[in-house]
Amino acid sequence: MIFPQRFILQAGHYWALVIFWLLKVICGTTYEIRGQENIPKEGGFLLVSKHQSAWETIALMAFSDNPCFILKKELLMIPFFGWYLWKGGVVAIDRKAGLKALRQMIKEAKEPLDNGRPVIIFPEGTRATPYQEPNYQTGIVALYSGLNVPVCPAAVNSGLFWGKDAFVKKPGNIILEYLPVIPAGLDRKVFMKTMQDTIENASNRLMNEAEQKKEA
């Protein structure tokens, strides 16, 4: 905890790689990263990901450059783990605070974005089961409009192999795919529909691909 923030993030990167190695050796669960050419090379941006599992939380920490997560403040209360989250420079919000939480989220996300850090958020707010009807929260629209930065969407099929609240991890290939950037400045409704359709269509495609491999 006495080391600089960047050291903590780098340590988190190697911690994640160890977890992925254990998943492969013990559970037969591998991973693949696609679409890295879609990640903005300069300036801060929002990285908005489908959330089906704890896997993508670890993966986005491992494969993002100096990331800043937006998360619920309760996670900071977890001994040791929560302390390291705090040291890594996150935006922790009280989801029960309503508009106050939205204003706080926009205000606190500006600093990491100004420093060129990607700000990562799961727009559904919680993990979803595969093929579940999406429930994207309007907070992402407020964040997009208030910060006026581009959005890099991301899709996953992780829920097929590391399910929500599931202890057993299944063998297979988890895919994280970065999708084409949505530019800043779109109409709020246009942005919401574009983002949701982009993430959901890609996630469904990845899940269908995995299901077809199982049947082959």
Side-chain angles (χ1 to χ4, degrees), residues 161-212:
F161 309 101
W162 183 339
K164 178 181 179 181
D165 300 324
F167 176 76
V168 175
K169 280 64 174 177
K170 300 177 183 178
N173 189 44
I174 296 177
I175 301 172
L176 166 67
E177 182 173 351
Y178 299 102
L179 306 166
V181 167
I182 301 172
L186 296 181
D187 174 81
R188 295 166 69 97
K189 290 183 178 179
V190 172
F191 164 71
M192 187 67 163
K193 184 176 187 337
T194 301
M195 178 199 62
Q196 180 169 321
D197 289 351
T198 299
I199 294 175
E200 290 301 310
N201 290 339
S203 294
N204 287 338
R205 170 172 51 80
L206 295 178
M207 289 188 289
N208 290 338
E209 178 183 327
E211 297 283 13
Q212 289 170 6

Side-chain angles (χ1 to χ4, degrees), residues 138-159:
T138 55
I140 182 58
V141 179
L143 198 64
Y144 170 77
S145 301
L147 295 170
N148 194 34
V149 292
V151 167
C152 180
V156 294
N157 65 355
S158 55

Side-chain angles (χ1 to χ4, degrees), residues 52-148:
Q52 294 183 341
S53 166
W55 183 91
E56 54 269 11
T57 306
I58 301 169
L60 291 171
M61 178 172 59
F63 301 117
S64 300
D65 182 26
N66 197 15
C68 171
F69 281 85
I70 294 179
L71 45 76
K72 57 185 180 182
K73 70 174 187 178
E74 290 86 350
L75 293 176
L76 300 184
M77 306 301 176
I78 301 174
F80 297 103
F81 180 74
W83 306 341
Y84 280 95
L85 284 178
W86 170 80
K87 181 69 176 181
V90 299
V91 175
I93 60 171
D94 180 0
R95 295 193 295 184
K96 298 177 182 178
L99 290 175
K100 182 180 178 181
L102 285 178
R103 288 193 292 268
Q104 175 201 354
M105 183 170 61
I106 294 170
K107 179 181 178 181
E108 294 189 12
K110 285 182 178 179
E111 181 179 350
L113 288 170
D114 289 343
N115 291 327
R117 300 178 67 188
V119 172
I120 300 173
I121 185 170
F122 300 110
E124 292 174 278
T126 188
R127 290 167 294 175
T129 56
Y131 302 108
Q132 177 181 322
E133 188 70 22
N135 182 27
Y136 286 68
Q137 304 298 309
T138 55
I140 182 58
V141 179
L143 198 64
Y144 170 77
S145 301
L147 295 170
N148 194 34

